[in-house]
Amino acid sequence: MSSRSGSAREYETSDRSPGLSAFPPVPESSESEAEGLIFYHMDLYGSKERFDIFPKELTGQEDRSLGDTRKESALSSEKFQRAQEAGYDLEKEVAELAKMYGLDEDREKELELLGGHLEMVESRWPPARTEKVGSQGSIYNASKSSSPMKDQSQSTKQQGLPGEASQDEEENKARAEDKAESHIGSGEGLSSSGMSDEWNSQAVSEEEAADIFCSTCKMPIRAFDKLFGEHKDHEVAQLPSALESEKEEIHKNMCKLEEQIAQMENFASHLEEIFITVEENFGRQEQNFEVHYNDAVQVLAQKYEEQLEALGEEKRQKLEALYGQLVSCGEHLDTCKELTDATQELYLENDKASFMKAAVTMVDRLEEFLKKEVDLELSTLPDFEERVIDFSEVEQLMNSINTIPAPCAPVINPQAPNTATGTSLRVCWGLFSDDTVECYQLCYKPVSNERSSDEQAAPSPPTIKNKKIRSCENAALVCWESRDINPVDSYTVELSKLTDEENGDTITESIVGIPNCEVLIHLQPTQSYRICIRALNLGGSSERSEPVLIHTTGTYFCLNEDTAHPLLAILDDGFTIACDELENPECDLPVYDNSFTRCIGILGSLIPFPGKHYWEVEVEEDTEYRIGVAFENTPRHGYLGANNSSWCMRHIITPSRHKYEFLHSGMTPDIRITIPPRRIGILLDYENCRLSFFNADIAQHLYAFNSHFQHYVHPCFALETPGILRIHTGIAIPPWTALP
Amino acid sequence: MKFGIYLPPKAETAKCPVLYWLSGLTCTEQNFITKAGFHQAAAEHGLIVVAPDTSPRGCNIEGEDESWDFGTGAGFYVDATEDPWKTNYRMYSYIKDELPKLINANFPTDPERMSIFGHSMGGHGALILALKNPGKYKSVSAFAPICNPIQCEWGKKALGGYLGSDAYDATQLVKSYPNSHLDILIDQGKDDQFLSAGQLLPDNFIAACTEQKIPVVFRLQQASCFCSP
C-alpha cells in the first residue's frame, strides 16, 4: 500500500479545504477507503486529467496486485476485501490482465487467477455504481444517514452475491463514500464510468458477460436473462446506449459538482481574506479601546490630583486659621500674665502713695484690657468638606469609545499629466490609513478661465533662481521665487527637450500642482532641456517665466555664498574662489550664521541625487587647499576634514616637498604623491559609498575614502594660503574613474 | 619551471586580462596562490592571475642553496651575466617573454592587457620590468618593494653575484625612463623591519620619480609584519 500512503501524504499536505483535512476520523476498516477517497480527490481537481490518472494509478498498483493475484491461488475474503479496497483498481487490473493474457485464449485462466471473482465483480460493481450515480444529485444535499439505507437496499437487489465480505465491503464503501464530500462521491461515479468503459469493453468481448441493460432493475444483465430469466418482461436497452445515457447524467452532475468546487474555493479564499480583515479590525478596535481607556484613566488621575490638592489646600487653610488663633491666644495670655505680674508687684509696694498712684493706673489698664472681647470660638471647623470626584467626564469618554471618529480630509493628488481630456478628468486622492471610510463624495465646479472683475487677477510670472539650479544626469532641482501681490495657489513647470531640429516650442511635459517654489524633475541623461514656470491661481495662469537651460551631462551645482568665510571671495563666474590675505582668519568681518569662521572655506549646494557625481578642481602648484565633501551640519567653526562630517584632500607645501593628506575625523593615511596634481577629479559615489580623488591630467587614482554617507553631502572647498581654486562642473564621468 | 595560474569564471566565455604576480625572497609559485586570498577579487573583476616561481630550481649549481637571499628562491628577476648563473638564472627574460608567450598560447587571455605586481623582491621585479618595458604593462603595483637594490645589502649581494651592472635597479631605471604613461602604486608597511634595516629604500625611488615626474602613489600603511603574502 505504499503508493497509497504516498498519496495520502500528498493529500494531507494540500490545503485545499480545511474540511478535508479533518477526514482522518474514519472507521478503522476503511483505512483503505481513505486511500481510495484520496485517489478520488486527485481525480477531481484536475478535470482534464481525470482519465489520465487512472492508468497511472493502475500501473502503480498493477505490479503489486499482479503479484498478489499470482501468488495466491484462491482469493480469500480478506484478499477480496483488499482487492475491493483497491477499489476500482481491480477493475483496471482485470482489464489489463485480460489484455495481457488475451481474452479469448486464457479466459479460463484469468477467471481462475481471480478466483472466479471476476464475474462477481463485474456483476456487482456496476449496480453499486450506477445506483450511486443515479442518486448523485441527492447526495449533494443528503444527510449522511440516508445513503446507507439505499446501499442496504442495493445489496439486496444484487444477484448472485456470495459472501458477507463483499457485502460488508460494499456497505463500508458506500458509507465511506457518503462520509466524503459530495464531490468525492461523484469522483467515484466518474471513475466508475471510466471503469465501466473498460469493463464494458471487456464485457463485450466476453461471451458470458452481461450485454444488455435492464432499465427496470437498473442493472446489466445477460441477453439470456432477458429471454429466460426474471427480466423477461422488463424494459431493456442496449448496454452501450444505456451506458451513454448514464455517462451523460454523471457528466451533468460532475459539472454541477465542479461549479460547487469553484464556489467553495472562492469562498475559502474569501474566508482567508476575512480572517485578515478580522485581525485588522481587531487591531483597530484594540487600539481605539486602548486610546480611550488611556484617556479616561488620564482624566481620572487628573481629577484625583485636583481634589487631593484642594483637600490639601483646605487643610492648610484650617491649620493656618487655627494657628493664627493660637498665636493670638498666646499673645493674650502673655498680656494677662504681664498684668498679673505687674499687679502682684504692685502689692509689694509699701509706700501707700506710690501704691495708690500705680494702683489707679493698674486698675485702668486692667479695665481697659478686660473690655476686650475674648474670642473663644474656633475660627474654623475641624471637619472637611465633602468632596466627590466628578466622573461625568470619564463617563463621557467611556461612552464615546465606540464612536468612530470622522475621517480626516483626504488629500487630492496634484493633477498628473495626461489625466484630462476635453470631456473627462481623472482625480486621485490619498486616504489616511487609520480612518474608516464608507464612501467618498466628489464635488467639483468649473472654474472660469476668463478674468471677471470680481475675481482674482492671474499672477505674474515667477523668476527662476538660475544660480541655484542643481542637476545631475537623471534629475534637476529647480527653484524660483514669485514676487507677486496676487496670491498663488500652485505652480506649473513646463519643460521641453531640445533636439537637433528647430528650436520648437513644443512642450513635452508639464508638471502641475506644485505647491512650493521648488521642484525635483526627473530627466533623461545627456539631453538639454528648456524649463519655465507658471504661477496659477483662481484668476488663471501667469505667463511663462524666463526659461532656463539645463544640460543633463555630469553633475552641476553652485556655491552657497552664505557659507563662505568672510575672507573668501567668489569671483564673477560663480565658480572661482579666491583668498587674498590671511592676516587674521578669525577677523572682525561680518559673519553670517552659516558661514565658516576659521577654515577659509565654502560649501557647494547639496547634491541630493543618488548615484555617481564627478567634478574637477583646478589648482595652482603653490596653492594650499582642502577639497572634498561635507554634510550640511559640518561645524562652521571647524576645519574641513578635522571632524567626522567632512572628507577632504589637503595639500600643503613643506620645505622639502609637496605633502598630501586625505583627512576625515582628523586622520589621514601616510601618502606620497610624486606628481602634484593640477587638476583634481573628485568622484562621489553614493551607491558604492566611496569618495575618490584623481589626478585628472594623467588619469591617476590618488586615494579613495570608503564611507557610507548617511545623508546627502555638499562639495566643500577651502584655501589655506592666498590663491585661487577653479571649480568645473557639468563634466561627464570619465571612464578611467571606473574601478580598475 | 612551475607557475600557478588562477582563471576566473569569466574566462570560460571571454578573454581576460592577465595580472602577473612576482613573489619575494624564499617564495615559490605556491605562496601567493595559497595564502593571498585574492581569488574573490580576481573573480569579481574577471582577471587571470599568474604567479611564477622566484627562481629556477634543481640546477645543481654550486652554492645555489647556501643562502636564502641569493640563488634558489632569490632570482631577483634579472638575467644573470656572471658564471655559474648565467645559463639558468634568466628570470627577467622568463617573466618578460617566455612566460607571457606560454600563458597567451594556452589560456584565454587578452594579450593587450597585462599588468604586473609583486612583493619585496617581486616588487622590485615588477618595477624593473615595468620600467624597462614602457607601454607593456597597464599598471604596476608593489608591496614593500626593494626600490634601490644597488644601495642595499640584498641588492648588492644579488646583483653583484648575478650581474656586473646596475641595469636592474628601479631607482636607476626611473632616472632614464622615457615619458610614457605609467601608473605606479606602492604600499609599504610602516613598521616593516626591512624598511628600517635599509633594505627597501623607497624614499630614493620616490625622489627619483618626483624628479622625473613619474606618477607614483606611495602609501605607508600601519602594517608591521613583513610576512610573505
Side-chain angles (χ1 to χ4, degrees):
Chain A
M1 293 290 171
S2 57
S3 54
R4 281 289 183 194
S5 51
S7 56
R9 243 171 269 126
E10 192 179 343
Y11 155 70
E12 271 161 16
T13 55
S14 92
D15 54 354
R16 282 279 174 193
S17 45
L20 291 179
S21 62
F23 194 27
V26 155
E28 294 156 28
S29 57
S30 57
E31 183 196 5
S32 50
E33 287 156 350
E35 292 172 319
L37 286 161
I38 287 168
F39 174 81
Y40 297 136
H41 292 185
M42 288 165 63
D43 171 25
L44 275 172
Y45 282 102
S47 54
K48 287 179 193 154
E49 287 108 55
R50 260 179 218 140
F51 292 98
D52 294 338
I53 290 175
F54 290 6
K56 280 179 203 161
E57 277 281 327
L58 182 60
T59 31
Q61 295 288 342
E62 188 182 13
D63 295 336
R64 186 182 47 75
S65 315
L66 274 178
D68 286 345
T69 53
R70 278 187 196 133
K71 279 168 194 167
E72 299 179 18
S73 51
L75 283 172
S76 60
S77 63
E78 185 208 356
K79 181 160 190 301
F80 180 74
Q81 189 158 10
R82 239 187 322 149
Q84 280 289 58
E85 291 164 354
Y88 88 123
D89 273 343
L90 187 56
E91 286 292 308
K92 294 288 175 184
E93 290 160 22
V94 161
E96 292 287 274
L97 278 173
K99 284 178 193 155
M100 276 179 64
Y101 292 112
L103 293 167
D104 297 328
E105 302 157 28
D106 291 330
R107 186 63 194 146
E108 300 293 330
K109 232 188 225 172
E110 192 181 2
L111 281 174
E112 206 179 273
L113 280 169
L114 295 173
H117 287 279
L118 177 62
E119 199 174 295
M120 184 169 54
V121 165
E122 286 168 9
S123 59
R124 209 183 66 75
W125 273 110
R129 297 289 184 196
T130 52
E131 183 68 41
K132 268 270 175 252
V133 162
S135 57
Q136 264 324 302
S138 54
I139 286 182
Y140 277 118
N141 307 312
S143 63
K144 292 177 185 176
S145 52
S146 58
S147 312
M149 293 190 34
K150 285 186 202 143
D151 293 339
Q152 302 273 357
S153 55
Q154 266 181 299
S155 49
T156 53
K157 275 190 200 159
Q158 286 158 14
Q159 294 186 359
L161 244 196
E164 271 179 47
S166 46
Q167 199 162 7
D168 285 346
E169 196 50 50
E170 165 61 14
E171 284 175 18
N172 283 339
K173 193 132 201 66
R175 221 177 295 136
E177 287 161 17
D178 291 325
K179 279 196 178 138
E181 314 228 343
S182 48
H183 58 264
I184 295 175
S186 62
E188 177 201 357
L190 184 68
S191 63
S192 78
S193 64
M195 278 167 38
S196 27
D197 264 341
E198 300 214 19
W199 173 90
N200 191 42
S201 57
Q202 186 187 333
V204 162
S205 53
E206 294 254 350
E207 289 163 29
E208 294 167 8
D211 54 358
I212 289 186
F213 186 72
C214 174
S215 319
T216 317
C217 304
K218 294 237 182 260
M219 57 182 283
I221 53 168
R222 295 175 297 176
F224 184 79
D225 293 327
K226 161 67 183 165
L227 297 170
F228 300 108
E230 19 175 276
H231 302 278
K232 235 192 312 192
D233 304 319
H234 298 172
E235 271 195 50
V236 292
Q238 283 302 315
L239 211 48
S241 54
L243 203 77
E244 282 306 312
S245 58
E246 282 304 327
K247 270 205 234 176
E248 248 178 65
E249 188 143 349
I250 293 170
H251 188 69
K252 249 191 288 176
N253 290 319
M254 278 306 301
C255 288
K256 282 191 211 156
L257 210 69
E258 273 170 47
E259 257 176 56
Q260 263 234 343
I261 292 169
Q263 267 177 9
M264 291 307 288
E265 279 173 4
N266 278 340
F267 186 57
S269 61
H270 183 59
L271 280 172
E272 280 168 19
E273 277 169 29
I274 298 291
F275 268 107
I276 297 171
T277 314
V278 166
E279 283 287 343
E280 276 175 12
N281 288 344
F282 162 74
R284 222 176 284 160
Q285 277 293 71
E286 192 187 23
Q287 218 173 21
N288 187 28
F289 193 71
E290 191 179 317
V291 162
H292 275 97
Y293 170 73
N294 284 337
D295 284 346
V297 164
Q298 221 169 25
V299 167
L300 210 58
Q302 200 182 8
K303 297 242 171 249
Y304 167 73
E305 292 288 337
E306 277 172 15
Q307 288 292 22
L308 208 59
E309 206 181 302
L311 206 65
E313 180 66 35
E314 206 182 320
K315 172 187 100 169
R316 218 168 31 79
Q317 279 170 6
K318 285 193 196 287
L319 288 179
E320 243 179 62
L322 288 171
Y323 183 72
Q325 275 199 319
L326 192 65
V327 163
S328 63
C329 224
E331 275 171 11
H332 198 94
L333 274 173
D334 283 342
T335 321
C336 284
K337 186 101 196 307
E338 203 192 302
L339 287 171
T340 317
D341 286 344
T343 316
Q344 278 182 356
E345 238 185 72
L346 189 61
Y347 281 129
L348 294 173
E349 182 64 57
N350 290 324
D351 183 35
K352 295 190 174 101
S354 340
F355 175 81
M356 278 313 288
K357 223 196 289 180
V360 169
T361 332
M362 194 79 227
V363 165
D364 282 339
R365 254 182 87 189
L366 281 170
E367 265 182 28
E368 200 63 50
F369 184 71
L370 287 168
K371 269 187 206 160
K372 278 193 204 160
E373 265 190 55
V374 176
D375 182 11
L376 294 171
E377 295 284 329
L378 278 178
S379 64
T380 169
L381 289 172
D383 302 312
F384 281 84
E385 269 177 45
E386 284 225 359
R387 290 179 187 275
V388 170
I389 295 183
D390 178 15
F391 285 107
S392 61
E393 206 177 310
V394 177
E395 251 182 76
Q396 205 180 21
L397 273 177
M398 293 306 289
N399 286 337
S400 73
I401 216 169
N402 286 319
T403 56
I404 300 174
C408 306
V411 176
I412 300 187
N413 293 354
Q415 183 179 6
N418 298 324
T419 54
T421 69
T423 52
S424 71
L425 182 65
R426 191 163 126 212
V427 185
C428 304
W429 60 87
L431 155 73
F432 289 101
S433 63
D434 281 351
D435 284 345
T436 323
V437 174
E438 279 180 5
C439 63
Y440 295 97
Q441 216 178 37
L442 180 74
C443 308
Y444 66 94
K445 77 165 189 220
V447 174
S448 150
N449 272 334
E450 297 152 6
R451 245 195 253 188
S452 48
S453 55
D454 52 351
E455 280 192 21
Q456 274 173 347
S460 46
T463 322
I464 298 181
K465 291 185 190 165
N466 217 328
K467 304 221 164 178
K468 304 267 176 157
I469 294 178
R470 277 165 271 165
S471 67
C472 72
E473 303 241 312
N474 303 301
L477 190 63
V478 183
C479 48
W480 57 89
E481 57 190 359
S482 170
R483 293 201 186 109
D484 204 316
I485 43 165
N486 292 315
V488 174
D489 287 338
S490 71
Y491 296 95
T492 303
V493 174
E494 290 171 0
L495 50 115
S496 44
K497 198 187 288 192
L498 298 179
T499 57
D500 292 332
E501 296 141 26
E502 27 68 72
N503 240 359
D505 225 7
T506 49
I507 297 175
T508 52
E509 195 177 325
S510 67
I511 303 168
V512 301
I514 298 167
N516 304 316
C517 293
E518 190 181 88
V519 72
L520 179 76
I521 315 172
H522 291 281
L523 303 168
Q524 304 269 314
T526 61
Q527 300 285 336
S528 299
Y529 293 86
R530 184 194 288 125
I531 294 179
C532 42
I533 316 281
R534 289 186 203 261
L536 269 91
N537 64 16
L538 288 176
S541 150
S542 72
E543 293 294 315
R544 277 199 220 133
S545 67
E546 283 299 309
V548 290
L549 276 179
I550 292 184
H551 305 282
T552 51
T553 302
T555 297
Y556 183 85
F557 59 84
C558 41
L559 296 174
N560 273 358
E561 293 157 2
D562 59 339
T563 61
H565 186 279
L567 287 177
L568 197 70
I570 305 176
L571 303 187
D572 282 341
D573 65 356
F575 289 101
T576 307
I577 55 177
C579 166
D580 276 338
E581 36 146 308
L582 270 187
E583 295 283 320
N584 186 7
E586 293 180 52
C587 57
D588 295 328
L589 290 173
V591 167
Y592 301 106
D593 284 336
N594 207 13
S595 58
F596 285 97
T597 55
R598 296 205 183 110
C599 182
I600 307 176
I602 186 171
L603 292 181
S605 47
L606 187 71
I607 303 182
F609 315 108
K612 294 192 180 137
H613 305 281
Y614 178 80
W615 63 94
E616 288 177 358
V617 184
E618 210 182 306
V619 301
E620 314 266 288
E621 181 149 353
D622 53 354
T623 317
E624 289 186 344
Y625 53 79
R626 295 183 196 228
I627 54 179
V629 299
F631 289 139
E632 167 67 49
N633 62 0
T634 193
R636 302 293 191 264
H637 297 297
Y639 284 88
L640 293 174
N643 45 53
N644 64 1
S645 55
S646 54
W647 294 255
C648 67
M649 171 180 172
R650 181 183 184 212
H651 169 236
I652 45 184
I653 300 175
T654 66
S656 56
R657 59 185 174 96
H658 293 266
K659 191 157 179 238
Y660 292 94
E661 294 179 347
F662 291 89
L663 290 162
H664 175 61
S665 300
M667 305 220 295
T668 174
D670 198 329
I671 286 209
R672 318 266 180 87
I673 296 176
T674 54
I675 298 186
R678 295 294 296 275
R679 200 172 167 103
I680 298 154
I682 299 166
L683 182 69
L684 170 66
D685 189 341
Y686 281 125
E687 209 180 297
N688 292 312
C689 305
R690 187 165 22 240
L691 178 71
S692 314
F693 295 85
F694 299 88
N695 181 334
D697 289 327
I698 54 174
Q700 182 192 27
H701 174 263
L702 299 173
Y703 185 76
F705 289 103
N706 284 299
S707 183
H708 175 63
F709 297 108
Q710 278 138 346
H711 315 288
Y712 290 126
V713 295
H714 300 253
C716 61
F717 313 89
L719 286 161
E720 301 201 341
T721 53
I724 286 185
L725 290 181
R726 275 190 200 83
I727 300 159
H728 299 275
T729 58
I731 305 171
I733 300 176
W736 43 260
T737 57
L739 248 193
Chain B
M1 288 286 288
K2 288 192 200 167
F3 65 86
I5 181 165
Y6 171 80
L7 294 161
K10 185 176 162 205
E12 283 170 28
T13 52
K15 290 193 187 293
C16 300
V18 186
L19 203 46
Y20 287 90
W21 165 265
L22 304 182
S23 285
L25 289 166
T26 77
C27 293
T28 68
E29 83 286 359
Q30 279 300 317
N31 298 74
F32 191 64
I33 299 278
T34 318
K35 297 199 209 175
F38 65 88
H39 311 85
Q40 185 169 351
E44 271 172 37
H45 295 294
L47 298 170
I48 295 176
V49 179
V50 177
D53 203 345
T54 48
S55 78
R57 295 188 187 260
C59 306
N60 284 323
I61 299 173
E62 193 177 325
E64 69 180 357
D65 291 323
E66 247 174 47
S67 28
W68 62 277
D69 54 0
F70 183 70
T72 304
F76 270 85
Y77 303 102
V78 300
D79 282 345
T81 53
E82 299 294 300
D83 280 322
W85 311 99
K86 65 181 185 191
T87 319
N88 302 94
Y89 277 68
R90 311 185 64 76
M91 291 300 293
Y92 176 77
S93 302
Y94 175 66
I95 303 293
K96 171 174 171 254
D97 297 320
E98 198 181 317
L99 188 59
K101 210 159 147 195
L102 181 71
I103 300 288
N104 290 340
N106 290 288
F107 298 97
T109 61
D110 179 354
E112 298 300 309
R113 287 155 78 197
M114 212 165 28
S115 284
I116 192 162
F117 66 145
H119 166 244
S120 180
M121 175 182 78
H124 146 81
L127 288 172
I128 59 165
L129 271 144
L131 289 167
K132 282 169 82 79
N133 298 283
K136 184 180 172 84
Y137 299 100
K138 295 285 175 198
S139 76
V140 51
S141 312
F143 294 89
I146 302 172
C147 296
N148 198 191
I150 59 173
Q151 300 278 11
C152 73
E153 289 305 315
W154 277 337
K156 286 178 190 162
K157 184 170 177 183
L159 299 189
Y162 296 132
L163 322 156
S165 70
D166 60 359
Y168 293 94
D169 182 310
T171 306
Q172 292 299 104
L173 288 166
V174 153
K175 290 176 183 163
S176 52
Y177 188 75
N179 202 5
S180 160
H181 178 80
L182 184 65
D183 214 335
I184 302 179
L185 180 63
I186 299 181
D187 277 283
Q188 173 64 54
K190 215 162 157 186
D191 299 324
D192 187 338
Q193 63 193 104
F194 296 109
L195 178 68
S196 42
Q199 292 278 28
L200 303 176
L201 303 168
D203 290 334
N204 295 359
F205 184 72
I206 289 166
C209 285
T210 309
E211 209 181 300
Q212 289 297 110
K213 307 213 189 305
I214 308 279
V216 174
V217 175
F218 172 84
R219 305 194 287 217
L220 206 57
Q221 306 275 17
Q222 282 301 331
S224 56
C225 175
F226 186 85
C227 311
S228 37

